[in-house]
Amino acid sequence: MIAFQDPLGQLPPQASTFAADHDALFYFLTWVSIGSFALILGLLTYSCVRWRRKTPDQPAASDVTHNTKLEVVWTLIPAIIVIVVFAWGFKGILPQQIAPADARKYRAEAYTWAWELYHPGATKSAGELWFEVDKPARVELTSRDVLHAFFIPAFRVKRDIVPGFRNQIWFQPTLIGDYTLFCAEYCGDQHSMMHRVVHVVDAATYVKEPWAALPETPEARGEYFFNMKGCLACHGTKADSPDPIGPTFFGIYGRKGRLSDDSEYTADEAYIHESIREPQKKIVKGRAPVMPPFDATSLSEEDVNDIIAWMKTLK
Amino acid sequence: MTTHAPAHEIPTVEGRREPDYLRVTKGFMSWVTTLDHKRIGLMYLFGVTLAFIVGGIFAMLLRAHLWNPGPDGQMFSPQDYNQLFTLHGAFMVFAFIIPAIPGSIANFALPLLIGAPDVALPKLNLASFYLWLFGTVLLSYSAITNGLDTGWTFYTPWSLKSQTAVLSAGLGVFVIGFSSIFTGLNFLVTMHKMRARGMGWFQMPLFCWAIYASSVLQVLATPVLGITVALLAFEHIYHIGVFDPAEGGDPVLFQHFFWFYSHPAVYIMILPGMGIISEVVSTHSRRPLFGYKLLAFSSIAIAVISFLVWGHHMYTSGQSEFAMQAFSFLTVLVAIPTAIKMWSWVATIWGGSIALTAPMLYAIAFLVIFTIGGLTGVYLAALAIDIHLHDTYFVVAHFHAVMMGSTAIAFFAGVHHWWPKMFGRMYNEKLASIAAIVILTGFMVTFLPQFEMGSQGMPRRYATYSEQWVGYHRASTVGAMILGAGFALMVGYLLHSLIAGRKAKPNEWGGVTLDWKCPTPPNLYNFDDEPIAGKLYDYGPTLKR
Ligand SMILES: [Cu+2]
Ligand SMILES: [Cu+2]
């Protein structure tokens, strides 16, 4: 069977087994819609030109106000079309409901406003996702706080992530390339920053576990974690970055200030370490206790030290 | 009360047996304590238009913010952007579009259309207005004090964690809900009890049928909104554990509650709009509505089905396949009565005597945009497609086609249609035609790019976005400014007409429904003599005969 191709190129690349089915129905509806729209526009234009009132007392041209045959036809045709669309759409989601038994198990934990992405067998989370082409993958979805949604347009899949529940999603990537994972359910301040790169790679690349690879220097690794763990959602890196939620990291190392109990603090290594592991312990005066904690499965001791090393360079 | 004045004190107005309702009493108090459905309608018209302007300013600000993809170089912080789209939605939905047509147009025209001196329960009518006002004040208070950043949907648990004014805004929505219930109830009683002699159910103009259907929805569905907001408040204050997973609650339950109201609410908005279009299309084409009975029944069918489709907002929530199947099937069924309406309007225009007046141009804009809104609704009803399109700009564009492009434009078609009846003055028709065309253009430029972005996967409610969508967003922003200009022009010439507009003819459009058989503007109790309903939509002989 030849898979459906996107004739106008207006949809994202077809990068999973679900994409062609979705696109076929999408275009079926698009042609039906364009046809109906053109028909209605044509009829309206024709009427307005042909029967435009030229004299103030011009009566209507037609006295037909009812036609059972016509009414049956224009009820039945849309009825048939929409029932076909319903059945087609339902058939389309059935395979999405149950993952094949051999699907590789991933886990995505969403929180405001970032992801912990666990690859099969990994105990440490990664910042981006890697899938092997043509191999089914299943992602278990959990949330630490509010609603989020796991959405990869190139795969045509989306599933809400509901706190307190365990949802899952599966797909089989078919096209090597880089795509985007979005959070599609509004989750507050930095909702729009919850996007990550999704890599579909060949078997040879996949076995090298690219998700475990990290930049060479501690400072570069620190910056990488800053980007991946969603720190950038609340913290800037420039002197003039806006800071409605958290402080900018520019010049933060060694900074002094006051905590909510009016005691003084200095942002040294121990303080920053604690602020990452147990952010609720000490709250800077005037700030809300909103930062999520990062434990060792998210950031190892080494990772935290890398972040501190990188922070020292921001001045 | 100042509704009666002794006959000898009434100044005689030339050519009238009684002074019109605008002049029968004078002064601020005579307006704010009025029980006259027409004056209450005008107060609503004034109020909802203000709400529309506020909501519209929010819309233009958020579109301006999206000119650049961010995070650098944008007008607002993401938090402020989130507040803007929330307040835009909350004002437009609760303070403008739900009360707009029932409160203003139906209040003014419904009793006239059925030949009644007023609504059945005038005091309840005034109470509805003040409830709306109080609720809207609460919403504005929330906006000014702490803002609101939950989206107009208030989804839990974010709405429980948000630091913004969720409680006062929720109370505002709760109060506006009661206003809506009272209005619906009032119209139902009015239609049952006060139709003119000789007017059976199937001699009612179709606007009345549409209002009947939407009133049933208002009375039956709105209490669920009240329950939802009340539970949200209890959860907020007492942590009773219904919606908050941290307290053992279920956030998806909130969505079920919310959409059990808010899907029918879509038809509370659009059905009255469809009713206006029926009247406008018929009057300005001099043709009785084609397939009257089918049109009337399709309103009822839409109202009934609309109760059973709320789950289509939750296809991606982890619903069972069975639930998805049922909701999807019922949702596509709505397309059938909707298509019937569309064809009936087209067939009404076909072979008519078509005057391209301002109301007719607005109605044609409605027909064009509603076609888009209806067809894109089928995309979203289809399961496989909705999984991809859910929570993207495609959805945003779809419901703006139905609400802004259809309901709001139908509302303005109604305003232009009954304006001469309301005030006895005519606006500048040339400017009105230009505004209608500008608004239609603005709509297309704003929302067609959004359909495109959405199908490419651009999620909604995003303060920042990826570079690939810059062009679409900029086009959309330009469109929003065109829309803003169109509406500003409209408000301008309408206000101008009150001062300097020419005097309206007694029957400006040659309408044949009862609303055109009372004096212009109407008397305090509308008609000079008790009207008797004759044949409906009787435009006299046609060319063919
Ligand atoms: Cu999110
Ligand atoms: Cu709905």
Side-chain angles (χ1 to χ4, degrees):
Chain A
M1 194 187 98
I2 300 160
F4 181 85
Q5 299 283 321
D6 183 347
L8 303 181
Q10 70 153 356
L11 295 169
Q14 297 180 336
S16 87
T17 50
F18 300 140
D21 280 348
H22 164 278
D23 295 1
L25 177 52
F26 185 96
Y27 273 101
F28 169 75
L29 262 173
T30 301
W31 301 135
V32 169
S33 300
I34 290 175
S36 328
F37 186 67
L39 180 61
I40 284 173
L41 216 57
L43 292 171
L44 284 176
T45 315
Y46 179 82
S47 306
C48 290
V49 171
R50 169 139 184 226
W51 292 294
R52 175 128 189 222
R53 194 180 298 167
K54 279 148 203 130
T55 54
D57 53 358
Q58 177 183 325
S62 159
D63 64 347
V64 183
T65 59
H66 177 70
N67 182 326
T68 309
K69 249 190 217 156
L70 197 59
E71 286 168 48
V72 168
V73 168
W74 74 41
T75 307
L76 274 185
I77 292 179
I80 292 167
I81 293 175
V82 296
I83 286 170
V84 167
V85 168
F86 153 73
W88 191 340
F90 182 55
K91 195 178 138 260
I93 53 117
L94 283 178
Q96 300 186 18
Q97 299 304 305
I98 296 167
D102 62 340
R104 288 187 178 137
K105 275 172 76 177
Y106 289 69
R107 196 156 74 76
E109 188 182 30
Y111 57 96
T112 49
W113 292 277
W115 305 85
E116 301 283 7
L117 302 167
Y118 295 93
H119 288 76
T123 49
K124 201 164 168 301
S125 74
E128 299 178 342
L129 279 169
W130 275 263
F131 297 105
E132 185 181 337
V133 68
D134 294 330
K135 287 278 181 331
R138 168 178 135 193
V139 189
E140 197 180 275
L141 304 169
T142 53
S143 165
R144 271 192 220 158
D145 37 45
V146 297
L147 296 169
H148 301 274
F150 185 98
F151 175 33
I152 303 177
F155 297 171
R156 312 289 189 276
V157 293
K158 184 181 291 119
R159 189 45 78 89
D160 292 1
I161 309 175
V162 184
F165 291 78
R166 216 171 265 261
N167 266 346
Q168 52 169 296
I169 194 167
W170 86 273
F171 39 79
Q172 183 168 324
T174 54
L175 190 65
I176 290 174
D178 289 350
Y179 310 104
T180 313
L181 159 71
F182 292 102
C183 173
E185 182 68 65
Y186 175 64
C187 57
D189 301 355
Q190 301 288 346
H191 169 50
S192 67
M193 298 305 280
M194 281 184 70
H195 51 81
R196 290 292 179 270
V197 180
V198 173
H199 309 267
V200 176
V201 294
D202 57 21
T205 315
Y206 187 84
V207 290
K208 289 188 213 140
E209 304 198 349
W211 52 89
L214 290 172
E216 297 275 298
T217 64
E219 291 79 10
R221 285 198 294 274
E223 184 174 14
Y224 172 82
F225 292 127
F226 169 77
N227 287 319
M228 287 311 134
K229 298 296 169 182
C231 317
L232 77 170
C234 307
H235 301 282
T237 57
K238 297 190 193 95
D240 59 346
S241 298
D243 65 342
I245 312 173
T248 172
F249 286 168
F250 185 87
I252 196 159
Y253 185 78
R255 186 186 294 166
K256 288 183 186 359
R258 283 193 184 280
L259 297 177
S260 50
D261 62 359
D262 255 331
S263 61
E264 212 172 291
Y265 75 93
T266 307
D268 53 16
E269 285 178 14
Y271 175 83
I272 295 174
H273 182 275
E274 190 187 63
S275 295
I276 293 172
R277 288 278 188 247
E278 294 167 283
Q280 311 293 342
K281 241 182 160 174
K282 289 180 185 152
I283 302 297
V284 171
K285 204 172 179 174
R287 294 280 177 198
V290 290
M291 173 149 162
F294 293 85
D295 63 16
T297 58
S298 175
L299 291 168
S300 68
E301 281 302 300
E302 247 177 79
D303 302 344
V304 173
N305 291 336
D306 290 343
I307 292 176
I308 296 171
W310 167 70
M311 280 172 140
K312 288 178 183 169
T313 67
L314 296 173
K315 54 188 179 222
Chain B
M1 288 297 109
T2 49
T3 44
H4 274 287
H8 60 270
E9 280 178 27
I10 299 171
T12 46
V13 183
E14 216 179 320
R16 296 185 66 106
R17 268 163 48 185
E18 287 177 39
D20 66 61
Y21 76 104
L22 296 167
R23 286 169 197 86
V24 66
T25 52
K26 285 212 161 59
F28 183 72
M29 286 311 287
S30 78
W31 278 84
V32 296
T33 60
T34 184
L35 296 180
D36 177 13
H37 69 99
K38 300 179 289 302
R39 284 192 168 194
I40 294 173
L42 292 195
M43 292 200 292
Y44 260 118
L45 179 62
F46 182 70
V48 297
T49 305
L50 274 186
F52 177 74
I53 292 171
V54 172
I57 290 172
F58 287 136
M60 302 219 296
L61 286 175
L62 71 87
R63 279 309 329 163
H65 169 89
L66 292 170
W67 184 261
N68 284 326
D72 298 319
Q74 287 183 312
M75 271 176 78
F76 302 103
S77 70
Q79 291 86 336
D80 290 344
Y81 172 81
N82 294 347
Q83 299 229 2
L84 280 175
F85 78 68
T86 301
L87 292 170
H88 163 67
F91 266 84
M92 285 302 199
V93 170
F94 296 113
F96 170 65
I97 211 156
I98 289 176
I101 298 178
S104 66
I105 307 286
N107 233 331
F108 181 86
L110 182 79
L112 301 180
L113 280 163
I114 61 170
D118 203 317
V119 292
L121 309 161
K123 286 181 185 160
L124 190 68
N125 199 15
L126 187 63
S128 302
F129 173 74
Y130 281 111
L131 282 175
W132 170 83
L133 187 64
F134 181 49
T136 303
V137 166
L138 273 170
L139 266 186
S140 315
Y141 165 83
S142 317
I144 294 165
T145 53
N146 250 339
L148 189 67
D149 71 345
T150 59
W152 75 277
T153 47
F154 294 100
Y155 270 18
T156 54
W158 176 253
S159 57
L160 297 165
K161 292 183 194 268
S162 166
Q163 306 289 316
T164 56
V166 175
L167 281 177
S168 57
L171 185 62
V173 169
F174 187 84
V175 172
I176 291 176
F178 274 91
S179 156
S180 183
I181 294 171
F182 289 169
T183 304
L185 193 68
N186 212 340
F187 290 156
L188 288 177
V189 180
T190 306
M191 277 181 274
H192 272 275
K193 289 293 180 194
M194 299 183 66
R195 277 171 287 135
R197 270 199 287 162
M199 184 180 279
W201 285 103
F202 289 107
Q203 279 87 49
M204 277 202 312
L206 277 161
F207 179 64
C208 307
W209 274 97
I211 291 294
Y212 193 95
S214 65
S215 295
V216 170
L217 291 180
Q218 278 168 277
V219 171
L220 295 182
T222 317
V224 181
L225 175 70
I227 295 167
T228 313
V229 188
L231 282 173
L232 183 66
F234 288 148
E235 185 75 325
H236 226 284
I237 303 167
Y238 304 116
H239 306 285
I240 55 175
V242 273
F243 300 140
D244 188 354
E247 312 276 353
D250 179 353
V252 181
L253 180 65
F254 177 85
Q255 298 176 21
H256 281 283
F257 266 100
F258 183 82
W259 290 111
F260 192 85
Y261 165 73
S262 292
H263 186 81
V266 173
Y267 297 99
I268 293 176
M269 305 173 205
I270 189 73
L271 278 168
M274 293 168 159
I276 290 178
I277 297 306
S278 293
E279 299 307 321
V280 170
V281 158
S282 167
T283 304
H284 298 261
S285 309
R286 286 199 181 140
R287 290 247 302 145
L289 277 151
F290 194 98
Y292 172 94
K293 276 202 179 168
L294 208 55
L295 264 174
F297 286 132
S298 64
S299 286
I300 303 297
I302 289 175
V304 172
I305 304 173
S306 76
F307 269 108
L308 307 169
V309 300
W310 76 92
H312 62 210
H313 297 270
M314 285 165 275
Y315 287 158
T316 64
S317 69
Q319 241 174 23
S320 74
E321 299 88 85
F322 178 74
M324 285 203 265
Q325 183 182 21
F327 283 127
S328 174
F329 182 72
L330 289 161
T331 304
V332 298
L333 290 188
V334 181
I336 301 167
T338 312
I340 290 173
K341 282 184 179 289
M342 204 58 224
W343 296 123
S344 293
W345 290 320
V346 172
T348 304
I349 295 174
W350 183 269
S353 164
I354 302 157
L356 294 179
T357 54
M360 188 63 170
L361 287 177
Y362 279 99
I364 289 172
F366 169 98
L367 294 177
V368 172
I369 299 173
F370 186 67
T371 308
I372 298 175
L375 288 165
T376 50
V378 181
Y379 284 73
L380 297 172
L383 283 160
I385 302 187
D386 183 70
I387 299 295
H388 175 58
L389 295 180
H390 180 70
D391 272 329
T392 67
Y393 265 68
F394 192 95
V395 176
V396 176
H398 159 70
F399 71 70
H400 278 86
V402 177
M403 288 172 193
M404 193 261 123
S406 303
T407 309
I409 286 187
F411 166 66
F412 292 119
V415 170
H416 285 79
H417 182 67
W418 279 291
W419 189 266
K421 195 87 213 166
M422 286 172 177
F423 299 103
R425 299 247 179 210
M426 264 304 282
Y427 41 84
N428 182 325
E429 277 214 76
K430 202 169 206 172
L431 286 181
S433 310
I434 292 171
I437 292 163
V438 170
I439 289 169
L440 176 60
T441 313
F443 178 87
M444 295 295 179
V445 180
T446 309
F447 293 105
L448 294 184
Q450 296 193 8
F451 280 118
E452 179 58 30
M453 271 191 273
S455 41
Q456 292 174 5
M458 164 85 211
R460 64 190 285 207
R461 296 174 166 180
Y462 262 31
T464 60
Y465 56 90
S466 124
E467 292 280 347
Q468 73 182 105
W469 290 306
V470 175
Y472 297 108
H473 271 294
R474 291 198 171 165
S476 188
T477 300
V478 169
M481 301 305 148
I482 298 176
L483 271 176
F487 285 122
L489 176 61
M490 182 175 81
V491 172
Y493 67 71
L494 285 179
L495 289 178
H496 176 260
S497 79
L498 294 180
I499 312 156
R502 75 162 162 84
K503 208 162 171 275
K505 295 171 213 149
N507 186 347
E508 185 68 41
W509 315 116
V512 293
T513 37
L514 288 180
D515 49 334
W516 300 103
K517 304 216 162 109
C518 67
T520 297
N523 301 335
L524 176 57
Y525 293 113
N526 299 340
F527 296 85
D528 282 337
D529 303 302
E530 192 195 327
I532 293 166
K535 195 169 157 250
L536 181 65
Y537 299 128
D538 185 5
Y539 293 95
T542 57
L543 282 182
K544 243 186 174 175
R545 261 185 203 153

